[in-house]
Amino acid sequence: MHRYLCFPAILAGFLMAVGCYAATDQQPTLTTEDDLGPQVQQPIEFPHYRHAGNRNTVDLTNSDPTKGGMEINCQYCHTYARRSLTAGIPPLQKCVGCHQNIPSVRDKPRIVELFKYWDAKKAIPWKKVHDLPDFVRFNHERHIKRFIEQQGRPVQEVCGYCHGQVKEMTTARRQKPITMGWCVSCHMKEHVVVVANKDGIPEGGTPLGKQAYWYTFQKPAETKNAAGELTAKGPNDCWLCHK
Amino acid sequence: MIDSDSVKNLAGHPFDRRDFLKVLGWGGAAAALSGCGNTSIEDGKETVVSYVEAKDYVIPGVAVYFNSTCAQCDAGCSITGKIREGRVLKLEGNPESPINKGKLCGLGQAAVQHHYNPDRVREPLLRKGDKGEAISWEKAYALINEKLAGVKGEEIALLSGDVSGHQKVLLGNYMDSLGSKNHFVYEAVSPAVVRAANLKFYGVEMPRYRIDKAKVVLSFGADFLGTWVSPVHFAQQYAAFRKGVDGQRGVLIQAESKMTLTGANADRWLAVRPGTEGILALGIINALGVSTGDVAELVKDYDKARVSRDTGVEPSNIDKIAALLKLRSPSLVLAGGAAEGYVHGMQNAAAINLLNQVLGNVGKTIEAPVSVPFPQMAPSKGRTAALKDLNDGLAAGKYKVLFNVATNPVFTAPASYKFRDNMAKAGFKVAFAHYLDETALQADLVLPLDSEMEDWGTHVPEYLADTVQINIQQPLMERLHANTRGMGDILLALVKQRRAEEYKAFDDYYGYLRSAVLQNKAALGGAGSDDDTFWNDTLSNGIVKLSGASGALSLKVDVSGLKLPAPKEIDEQYPMNLIPAVTSNLRDGRHTNQPWIQESPDPLTTIVWDSWVEMHPKMALQLGIVEGDIVKVTSKTGSVSAQVYLFPGIYPDAVSIPIGRGHDAMGRYAKGYGVNPFEIMDAVFESATGELAMHETRVNITKTGQRVIVVKDEGPAGGRQMGRKIAARVSTDQVDLSKEV
């Protein structure tokens, strides 16, 4: 009998090697702890910190590119995120739209490279940093509607839930695991439901009453936390992501 | 999939089933472990390309929709294409079209696979021996011009399928500029005989059928739900018909030799001896007993006993049908492909039309069609006789230059035409083609066409539903391949070689189309709006609807010349009738290379990716044949071999092979799958119209000794499911039709 056992072992080993690089590793903990991805080489080393980073409070002219950014709203460039499933990459037109009016940095190597693409009318072949498997349909629009529009939270904070502190990076690098367990860890938490005021207008939170505060077929069980606030879990249906 | 054999070889040890299951168990556990939580996203592997300049309406991940026209068949359904990131993903019907009202059939859905097909021709190809050499378009045009020099007009022939709209105008002008009148309009499957019979009895070729207004539909082999004339439109009429007029659910009776999709939906299906549809129609007129004069004289010999003997339909069924038709008016009687495919096909169709006259349906459920206000744009209707004429001309060496516009006669001509050899007699053959199909392979110059989703055009369908409509075809996305061209653009370039002055204002076919439409702006309902607005509205709607005058139908009953032959004696050598079946998926085989078409099960047999010989279980029992036997079907012309499928929905003396498979070219998804019944079809012609009589071939069946498991989507081969699909539990003479109603 033992001679047959080698075949399952071979097969199991094979499947492990192919299906997963780390079947023997520890399972990642289901938290939002950082899980730094590899540094990805991009065609242009786009400085996120310069565009989205916090202003330098000492040098208000903001002239030193190594210190301080311009606090540009993420959604100014990533304009598709609030309108579509995919965040998209800004069209080249968008970069040039501003940069053709900023002569001071025109001769910097990265900008020279940018205009090379523009003059050739060629798209920049960026590398995907957050690449989910094809069977996952993550919806950017819904998360932005929920957290930014309904709850009025700061844009950089909301984007940062998944993308990390991009405002401190040059080219983006993955900071969160973005695995299913990690997604679910947030959806399983009891979030405080904020009741709308008497006019039905949400006071910085998810409205009750006119609009459902859950997004699934079934209304979740309503619970109260220690402070006596009504809480509910995020949507937890398989089909939300696995269509 | 790992099968036990391969694992055995892998390990080099004998391996039994128990051990195999163990391996599967362990392997499954390993796969489950690896799937849990540890999958990582791939950082920096894929490229994400952004737009250089994005249009305002473009949002990645959000689709935009454009209206166009389906070109998979000639019904002219309007479509709405879903386009995301500049790529067409999905087609649906355009709700504004009176023809398809937002619906689309499976064939139409598969059109995206025509567009993205990996086997499309991508460069102009010039024959160099057995190979095609890629050349430039300039060189191709110059070559055509050069080859046409010194060739007389009557030595030039052009073969196309149904053509209408501005492309027809341009095609006509080009032929005119060459001084040629030899434009052959050919469709392998067309209701040409029925058109001729309609013209004789109703005064129009294609009236409007109102299935929705009828209380009884009696169809003689008209597969109006699957393949006949405008199936998506008729399917919606059929839905209304089944809901009923005045609370009476419509009753459908289908009389045919081989069950079609429509037959499978009928309340009563009658197996008719092949070719005796007309006799049955006259028998029903006789049984109605309401006719006088000429008609009574004509039908007086068609008593029940004789009709039953000739057609194989039980006398009681004839009575029941007559009673039902009397009870419920208006009714509608249809003559379809199965009735017209005989030497006396016209007589069959005429007898069936006569039944409509006798029942007083003309003007009630058969209405006059609307006439197209621009006759130059009205469709040229394809006939099989056109191919016969062309073939005769080629055989006689009449033509030096042959243009072929995306038809495939080498595949769809009966083998006895020897079309391939005759085609070689033309000195220079140009094929405008999407694929290197059987015909394009014989050409000297192959010019690659845009798909219908890359090209401009206008179409006027033959069967118009409510109003006259000019369907707009517009690109749903940019060209996939840089070197394909639209047929309109090619024609414009060619006609410019002859009449440069006349066409110099148009840079391309788009410009020509736009100016042609805007010239008639007022007539097209755009009076008062400015050019750009009207043009953009037209493109956005995808249809121009016009009110056209309806003529009157002729009510004259003329039975002179109506004479039906007695059923043919059984031929000892070739005892069976061959019915080449037109199926809703495959039609004439021009779309066989779309994998969705190949893999969607045939509606009746559920067979995929292969041909079959449909045979009645009784006949199979007599011949000692079981399902899956490979049999050789031999006619006077030739023979093909295919698997047998036993099916009670066929007249016992007939066998049926579907048309459309059996390509020996046309790319990876078509080549080598199934057999082509055209290869064994005898060249017999309908006597009045000269159309190919497709159902006249007689065959015999011999076993080859091989057997396969039929790949189908139903119970095990020969299992207990056989025969259960059709409600045949009670024999037909036991059913009281009036109670069923």
Side-chain angles (χ1 to χ4, degrees), chain B residues 370-681:
Chain B
V370 282
S371 60
V372 182
F374 304 96
Q376 71 274 24
M377 285 174 67
S380 296
K381 297 154 199 165
R383 307 166 60 221
T384 51
L387 185 68
K388 168 85 166 50
D389 295 345
L390 173 67
N391 189 48
D392 291 348
L394 285 169
K398 261 168 74 183
Y399 306 119
K400 289 188 175 156
V401 177
L402 172 68
F403 293 101
N404 172 38
V405 186
T407 64
N408 191 1
V410 174
F411 178 73
T412 52
S416 53
Y417 278 26
K418 299 201 166 35
F419 190 84
R420 200 188 300 249
D421 302 338
N422 292 334
M423 191 176 160
K425 290 182 186 162
F428 187 63
K429 304 164 288 288
V430 184
F432 306 98
H434 295 106
Y435 309 100
L436 284 177
D437 56 23
E438 288 82 350
T439 309
L441 280 181
Q442 305 304 316
D444 299 300
L445 180 64
V446 178
L447 298 178
L449 293 179
D450 282 345
S451 83
E452 283 72 15
M453 270 155 261
E454 299 165 328
D455 200 5
W456 289 96
T458 47
H459 300 275
V460 181
E462 179 189 4
Y463 189 89
L464 291 160
D466 295 338
T467 53
V468 176
Q469 61 184 84
I470 299 171
N471 291 339
I472 305 290
Q473 180 192 334
Q474 62 179 320
L476 297 180
M477 64 177 278
E478 286 190 10
R479 281 199 181 98
L480 273 178
H481 313 298
N483 261 339
T484 59
R485 293 287 176 271
M487 192 61 216
D489 281 320
I490 297 173
L491 281 173
L492 194 65
L494 288 176
V495 79
K496 272 182 182 174
Q497 291 178 343
R498 308 276 141 187
R499 294 176 174 171
E501 202 50 36
E502 213 175 300
Y503 288 91
K504 70 173 183 213
F506 311 114
D507 290 337
D508 52 16
Y509 187 50
Y510 169 79
Y512 172 81
L513 212 58
R514 187 177 192 273
S515 99
V517 168
L518 291 179
Q519 246 172 28
N520 293 306
K521 193 170 69 172
L524 295 172
S529 64
D530 74 275
D531 282 5
D532 284 342
T533 313
F534 177 67
W535 178 243
N536 289 339
D537 284 353
T538 304
L539 294 189
S540 144
N541 294 338
I543 313 166
V544 183
K545 287 183 215 169
L546 302 168
S547 51
S550 300
L553 290 174
S554 136
L555 289 165
K556 181 168 56 93
V557 180
D558 177 15
V559 296
S560 61
L562 208 171
K563 192 164 182 301
L564 285 161
K568 265 195 186 165
E569 293 301 315
I570 296 215
D571 183 331
E572 285 299 320
Q573 198 184 351
Y574 300 105
M576 316 271 280
N577 281 283
L578 175 70
I579 300 177
V582 184
T583 65
S584 52
N585 288 349
L586 293 161
R587 286 183 170 249
D588 63 357
R590 76 180 70 174
H591 303 302
T592 313
N593 61 350
Q594 294 159 19
W596 285 346
I597 295 299
Q598 286 274 23
E599 75 181 25
S600 60
D602 175 73
L604 290 173
T605 63
T606 72
I607 292 174
V608 294
W609 285 99
D610 205 353
S611 295
W612 63 90
V613 179
E614 213 163 299
M615 193 186 271
H616 197 279
K618 270 185 208 160
M619 182 53 84
L621 194 66
Q622 270 181 33
L623 298 171
I625 288 168
V626 298
E627 182 173 293
D629 273 349
I630 306 279
V631 294
K632 193 169 163 194
V633 183
T634 311
S635 73
K636 282 184 209 122
T637 311
S639 67
V640 293
S641 296
Q643 58 187 1
V644 164
Y645 180 84
L646 300 186
F647 190 59
I650 188 165
Y651 191 79
D653 284 344
V655 289
S656 171
I657 302 176
I659 291 173
R661 288 205 174 95
H663 282 277
D664 51 21
M666 213 177 163
R668 67 197 78 176
Y669 302 119
K671 187 179 174 179
Y673 293 100
V675 297
N676 181 7
F678 282 108
E679 281 174 19
I680 58 169
M681 206 180 283

Side-chain angles (χ1 to χ4, degrees), chain A residues 84 86 92-93 126 128-129 174, chain B residues 41 43-44 46 48 52 60:
Chain A
S84 168
T86 53
L92 198 48
Q93 191 182 17
W126 301 105
K128 261 190 186 176
V129 174
R174 184 169 60 76
Chain B
I41 56 173
D43 301 307
E46 276 184 26
V48 49
V52 175

Side-chain angles (χ1 to χ4, degrees), chain B residues 107-128:
Chain B
L107 194 63
Q109 296 279 357
V112 284
Q113 293 201 326
H114 168 51
H115 173 66
Y116 290 114
N117 202 299
D119 295 319
R120 277 176 60 190
V121 195
R122 299 174 192 201
E123 306 282 344
L125 297 172
L126 178 65
R127 176 179 289 280
K128 278 267 152 64

Side-chain angles (χ1 to χ4, degrees), chain B residues 200-201 282 285 291-299 347 350-351 353-355 357-358 556-564:
Chain B
K200 182 168 180 228
F201 268 79
L282 295 188
I285 296 176
S291 45
T292 51
D294 286 352
V295 181
E297 184 63 25
L298 177 76
V299 301
Q347 303 294 338
N353 285 355
L354 179 64
L355 180 52
Q357 298 272 23
V358 170
K556 181 168 56 93
V557 180
D558 177 15
V559 296
S560 61
L562 208 171
K563 192 164 182 301
L564 285 161

Side-chain angles (χ1 to χ4, degrees), chain A residues 89-127:
Chain A
I89 301 289
L92 198 48
Q93 191 182 17
K94 193 114 200 173
C95 313
V96 172
C98 291
H99 273 282
Q100 66 188 357
N101 299 318
I102 313 175
S104 60
V105 294
R106 190 64 183 266
D107 53 351
K108 303 280 184 205
R110 294 191 286 219
I111 306 298
V112 169
E113 189 71 11
L114 172 76
F115 275 89
K116 264 192 209 159
Y117 280 105
W118 174 250
D119 292 338
K121 289 281 179 283
K122 249 176 75 185
I124 304 176
W126 301 105
K127 289 285 177 212

Side-chain angles (χ1 to χ4, degrees), chain B residues 306-321:
Chain B
R306 178 204 165 174
V307 170
S308 176
R309 197 172 57 240
D310 284 356
T311 61
V313 176
E314 308 253 336
S316 58
N317 271 332
I318 298 172
D319 275 343
K320 281 173 194 164
I321 293 170

